[in-house]
Amino acid sequence: MPIDFLSVQQEQSYGRYQSDPTELQLARYFHLDDLDRTLIAAKRAEHNRLGFALQLTTVRFLGTFLANPLEVPALVVKHLARQLECDPAGLSLYLEREATRYEHTSQLKEHYGYRDFADQPHHFRLVRWLYTRASLSAERPSVLFDLTTAYLVERKILLPGITTLERLIASARDRANARLWKSLAALPSLSQREELEKLLVVIPPARLTPLDQLRQSPYQISSNALVKALQRVETVKKLQVGKLDFRRIPPVQLKILARYTAGSKAQTLERLLPERKIATVLSF
């Protein structure tokens, strides 16, 4: 699947401040407890104490460290300066020594248990969670992106680059879809597969494929329409797909695939890879 599935708002808000935190967020993420104050107090210069506090509360709130740790709302700076009883006017000095900032991020990761995105076994657990979610749910990739971001923040796993996360979600969905198609395509017998494939082929003198004819339900109340409806039912019954065991197929995924089949041209379905072709027609 394509990876450019995010909205503009999602792209702009990922791993950065978009507005002032609310009062509730200030209380939850930007309050300095005794452990915070102990670590902060070990920094000699006032601007280093405030800068350290900014890095701490930023990673707690956003799930990542900022390239420029001072790119935070003025409200956050004032809120932390008030708690530390320091003057924020000299905060720009925090940017003068890059090594200090890296030392602070290392200390924060060590003391608070933050882990890099690629660290194992946490990365494997994330991939497994994401694949399971993609296999069992009908969530859009943009929704999965938000859920995955929340997952990472909650477990103190530092956010990766936005394209890295997009690719991971796209890969999980592709794998889940491939497994779904393979599982569905394995259900019918060889003769049933042949009959399903014939539904995509126009048989003269008809001008529509059998699948197109099945998708056109009767729209009039008449004896002729009733006969056509019964013929339609008989055609479906002859396929005997109702006897197949779909218990291991997530119902929501089956419905999504059936809707895709119902709205796609027979020519488009005919060009699909064999497993996907059988799976889509069978789901319908």
Side-chain angles (χ1 to χ4, degrees):
M1 64 167 289
I3 67 169
D4 54 342
F5 52 77
L6 296 181
S7 66
V8 174
Q9 182 179 3
Q10 284 178 306
E11 292 178 349
Q12 293 177 346
S13 63
Y14 181 73
R16 67 187 73 173
Y17 290 94
Q18 284 298 293
S19 59
D20 289 343
T22 63
E23 289 294 331
L24 183 61
Q25 290 171 333
L26 285 174
R28 179 176 180 181
Y29 298 99
F30 298 90
H31 172 73
L32 302 175
D33 60 20
D34 292 341
L35 173 61
D36 301 336
R37 291 175 179 274
T38 299
L39 293 174
I40 293 170
K43 315 305 171 191
R44 287 179 295 178
E46 190 173 85
H47 63 271
N48 281 341
R49 291 196 292 272
L50 184 54
F52 186 89
L54 280 174
Q55 295 237 60
L56 164 60
T57 52
T58 291
V59 73
R60 185 183 289 165
F61 181 58
L62 297 179
T64 188
F65 295 106
L66 299 177
N68 180 356
L70 305 189
E71 289 184 345
V72 301
L75 175 65
V76 171
V77 177
K78 292 179 181 179
H79 184 74
L80 293 175
R82 190 181 306 116
Q83 294 181 74
L84 297 175
E85 298 180 349
C86 64
D87 183 5
L91 183 58
S92 59
L93 296 175
Y94 188 65
L95 297 178
E96 291 185 353
R97 189 170 182 272
E98 189 174 8
T100 299
R101 304 201 301 275
Y102 287 125
E103 290 172 6
H104 287 179
T105 57
S106 296
Q107 291 173 14
L108 288 168
K109 289 168 65 176
E110 179 182 352
H111 284 282
Y112 291 91
Y114 284 96
R115 297 174 287 268
D116 290 324
F117 180 73
D119 287 353
Q120 298 292 3
H122 311 289
H123 184 76
F124 172 76
R125 292 171 183 165
L126 167 65
V127 173
R128 182 176 59 186
W129 171 84
L130 189 55
Y131 173 70
T132 301
R133 188 129 197 160
S135 299
L136 299 178
S137 71
E139 292 156 340
R140 299 189 306 275
S142 58
V143 174
L144 275 178
F145 182 89
D146 288 338
L147 291 172
T148 305
T149 301
Y151 175 101
L152 295 173
V153 173
E154 181 181 351
R155 288 162 178 77
K156 294 185 177 181
I157 301 173
L158 298 176
L159 298 182
I162 190 170
T163 54
T164 298
L165 200 55
E166 282 185 293
R167 290 193 185 99
L168 180 63
I169 292 170
S171 174
R173 283 174 57 86
D174 286 344
R175 287 179 54 209
N177 286 335
R179 181 183 179 185
L180 174 65
W181 301 332
K182 183 177 181 179
S183 298
L184 278 171
L187 293 180
S189 64
L190 179 60
S191 60
Q192 285 176 313
R193 289 172 62 99
E194 292 174 351
E195 292 301 319
L196 288 170
E197 289 183 337
K198 289 179 181 178
L199 294 177
L200 300 175
V201 179
V202 176
I203 302 175
R207 290 179 295 177
L208 298 175
T209 65
L211 178 65
D212 289 326
Q213 296 174 39
L214 287 175
R215 292 191 293 194
Q216 293 181 355
S217 58
Y219 54 88
Q220 292 180 337
I221 301 176
S222 66
S223 57
N224 287 336
L226 177 59
V227 171
K228 290 181 179 180
L230 292 173
Q231 291 173 341
R232 188 167 176 257
V233 172
E234 189 63 25
T235 300
V236 174
K237 287 177 65 176
K238 285 180 179 179
L239 296 172
Q240 295 186 326
V241 296
K243 297 181 180 180
L244 302 179
D245 186 1
F246 290 90
R247 287 178 297 178
R248 300 185 66 180
I249 307 297
V252 65
Q253 297 288 23
L254 194 61
K255 290 179 180 179
I256 290 174
L257 197 55
R259 285 201 298 267
Y260 168 77
T261 312
S264 300
K265 293 182 178 180
Q267 295 89 335
T268 301
L269 300 176
E270 173 62 26
R271 291 194 293 267
L272 296 177
L273 294 175
E275 282 188 344
R276 186 178 181 184
K277 183 196 306 184
I278 294 299
T280 52
V281 178
L282 176 60
S283 68
F284 176 77

